[in-house]
């Protein structure tokens, strides 16, 4: 059975203009962008999964995009501004870098961005998605994806089918849509595990995010509203297993010690997350009527808060290409549109992946010259204002990719 859905036959190539597979933050954003621009869209959001205890540091340009999509207004109160970012060399090595402090005010911004619990962000996106008439929300999994010359056909849990001219694959790192399109991935893993926790603390964070660079990886405290912060604690797998097994009071004491007590006394909120660090990149961000967004396209280590910010730029870019194509009566899954998408996203994804990889390897490496280069880079950033300001501007609004939504322009 094919589901009777709105927009049926509008393009002559399928029941919908677009189908988005995956109801994580990248998929929700793509669906809101497309359907908000009147493209008849289905979001196959999947069966409910356990809640995500992570937080996301959203860069200012991502916040602008979410504001333009009428999402940000719904969760702004649950987000904390990031006004200052500090990097502290805690490696104890011979060649140590000075502390580097980046202040948003130095480049005329109130904040670099905002940190928010993923569950609040996703709830705000889901609320916005439910309002859009051109968006059909489907709480089922895609169990089969088949691609023909003029449509993508997706079979759901209940045996019904969704047909569309374009599939936006937002179905995470294992992406069944990516496999159906025949796109391979390349990548590598690191001898590192990230533990994620949410902390309550006795001293204020003053809207400062602090990244301690330790030999086994960064230990990053990111502000949340009030006397709360999120922690991404990257360490080697043995240490992660030991630390992860500690009872709450012992773990809180260990965190306080590794944080040099800058936030005072620490208490842990209940959930703990564990993530293996890896890079996994699709060899192409699209093919055969399928465009990849978010972790279906790229997984990178949680260093420098890049992952979802990249994913939101993917979603904004596919929206920017498909909305005018739909208005002009063109096929949104046509080869030339997909090729343009792949081209527009290449430099941004490649440069961010390489930068995060280099930073991480420079921490892990025992190779003195590499440690020296890292120390020199951080010293230059600390002492040379124009370079520091250029780095901050690039971090907030990447010159290689500023989709229209990131500039506050509706699609
Ligand atoms: C420790 C950690 C900290 C991070 N911190 C930051 C940060 O501060 N800033 C930042 O920008 N990024 C950060 N990231 C990266 C960010 O979390 C990810 O980029 C983001 O969660 C990926 O979102 P997504 O929507 O692409 O994928 P996911 O959240 O994985 O969503 C994929 C969705 O697809 C669904 N799905 C899968 N298969 C199917 C199917 N067959 N049918 C239907 N649905 C399906 C799944 O259920 C899921 O809901 C961090 C990552 C980690 C590990």
């Amino acid at each position: 059975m094919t589901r009777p859905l709105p927009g049926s036959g509008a393009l002559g190539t399928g029941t919908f203009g677009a189908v988005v597979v995956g109801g994580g933050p990248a998929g929700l954003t793509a669906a809101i962008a497309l359907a908000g621009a009147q493209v008849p869209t289905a979001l196959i959001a999947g069966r409910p999964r356990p809640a995500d205890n992570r937080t996301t540091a959203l860069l200012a340009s991502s916040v602008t995009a979410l504001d333009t999509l009428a999402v940000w207004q719904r969760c702004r109160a649950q987000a904390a501004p990031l006004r200052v970012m500090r990097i502290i060399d805690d490696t104890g090595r011979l060649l140590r870098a000075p502390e580097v402090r980046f202040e948003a005010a130095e480049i005329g911004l109130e904040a670099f961005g905002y940190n928010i619990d993923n569950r609040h962000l996703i709830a705000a996106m889901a609320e916005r998605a439910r309002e859009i008439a051109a968006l059909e929300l489907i709480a089922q999994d895609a169990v089969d994806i088949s691609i023909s010359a003029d449509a993508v056909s997706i079979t759901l849990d209940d045996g019904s089918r969704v047909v569309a001219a374009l599939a936006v694959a937002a179905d995470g790192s294992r992406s069944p849509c990516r496999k159906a399109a025949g796109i391979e991935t390349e990548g590598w893993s690191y001898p590192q595990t990230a533990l994620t926790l949410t902390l309550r603390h006795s001293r204020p964070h003053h809207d400062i995010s602090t990244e301690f660079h330790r030999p086994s990886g960064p230990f990053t405290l990111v502000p949340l509203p009030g006397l709360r912060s999120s922690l991404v604690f990257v360490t080697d797998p043995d240490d992660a297993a030991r630390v992860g097994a500690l009872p709450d009071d012992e773990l809180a004491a260990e965190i306080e010690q590794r944080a040099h007590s800058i936030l005072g006394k620490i208490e842990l909120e209940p959930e703990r997350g564990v993530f293996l660090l890896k890079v996994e990149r699709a060899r192409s961000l699209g093919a055969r009527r399928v465009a990849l967004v978010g972790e279906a396209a790229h997984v990178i280590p949680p260093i420098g808060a890049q992952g979802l910010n990249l994913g939101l730029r993917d979603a904004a870019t596919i929206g920017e290409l498909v909305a005018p194509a739909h208005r002009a009566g063109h096929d949104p899954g046509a080869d030339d549109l997909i090729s343009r998408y792949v081209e527009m996203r290449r430099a941004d994804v490649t440069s961010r992946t390489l930068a995060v990889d280099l930073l991480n390897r420079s921490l892990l490496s025992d190779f003195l010259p590499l440690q020296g280069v890292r120390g020199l880079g951080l010293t230059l950033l600390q002492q040379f204002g124009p370079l520091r300001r250029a780095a901050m501007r690039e971090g907030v609004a990447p010159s290689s990719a500023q989709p229209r939504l990131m500039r506050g322009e509706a699609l």
Side-chain angles (χ1 to χ4, degrees), residues 257-278:
Q257 187 233 326
R258 293 200 195 200
H260 300 273
S261 297
I262 59 169
L263 296 176
K265 187 158 173 44
I266 301 277
E267 276 176 47
L268 309 184
E269 291 193 359
E271 294 111 25
R272 304 178 184 190
V274 180
F275 299 85
L276 302 178
L277 262 59
K278 63 172 182 177

Side-chain angles (χ1 to χ4, degrees), residues 21-27 44-47 49 52 54-57 118 140-142 170-172 176 194 196 232 275 293-296 302 305-309:
V21 183
I44 300 177
R47 279 169 285 147
R49 299 323 203 252
D52 184 347
R54 287 174 293 175
T55 67
T56 298
N118 283 10
Q140 294 190 53
D141 275 356
D171 44 357
T196 56
V232 179
F275 299 85
V293 302
E295 289 204 337
Q306 294 297 324
L308 183 57
N309 286 287

Side-chain angles (χ1 to χ4, degrees), residues 59-62 85 102 107 109 112 304-306 309-310 313 347-352 355 381 386-402:
L59 298 176
S61 52
S62 297
M85 296 170 96
F102 300 96
I107 52 168
L109 289 178
F112 290 115
Q306 294 297 324
N309 286 287
L310 265 181
R313 294 201 288 278
D348 190 23
V349 173
T350 305
S351 63
R352 302 282 142 175
L381 283 173
L387 184 65
R388 187 173 57 251
R389 287 189 282 279
M392 286 193 271
R393 286 196 194 95
E394 180 62 23
V396 172
S399 51
S400 61
Q402 273 305 288

Side-chain angles (χ1 to χ4, degrees), residues 74-206:
R74 299 159 203 265
C75 56
R76 163 74 187 82
Q78 279 116 18
L82 306 174
R83 298 189 206 281
V84 177
M85 296 170 96
R86 293 196 298 168
I87 297 179
I88 297 175
D89 189 328
D90 201 14
T91 56
R93 284 174 178 151
L94 189 61
L95 297 176
R96 245 178 299 167
E99 175 180 330
V100 190
R101 198 179 159 97
F102 300 96
E103 302 199 8
E106 213 188 320
I107 52 168
L109 289 178
E110 207 181 301
F112 290 115
Y114 288 79
N115 191 39
I116 182 165
D117 283 290
N118 283 10
R119 64 177 193 279
H120 292 313
L121 178 63
I122 290 168
M125 289 175 169
E127 186 184 301
R128 172 68 184 126
R130 283 193 291 272
E131 278 182 358
I132 305 176
L135 181 57
E136 167 108 0
L137 294 169
I138 301 169
Q140 294 190 53
D141 275 356
V143 292
D144 184 65
I145 299 138
S146 68
I147 307 171
S148 67
D150 58 3
V152 180
S153 173
I154 298 182
T155 306
L156 305 175
D157 276 336
D158 68 358
S160 60
R161 269 190 310 132
V162 171
V163 180
L166 167 75
V168 176
D171 44 357
S173 58
R174 295 200 193 127
S175 183
C177 289
R178 186 182 64 217
K179 287 195 189 92
I183 302 174
E184 300 203 333
T185 61
E186 58 194 1
W188 54 89
S189 53
Y190 302 91
Q192 289 169 301
T193 302
L195 302 174
T196 56
L197 292 138
T198 305
L199 317 175
R200 292 182 182 273
H201 38 82
S202 60
R203 286 197 202 144
H205 47 56
H206 299 294

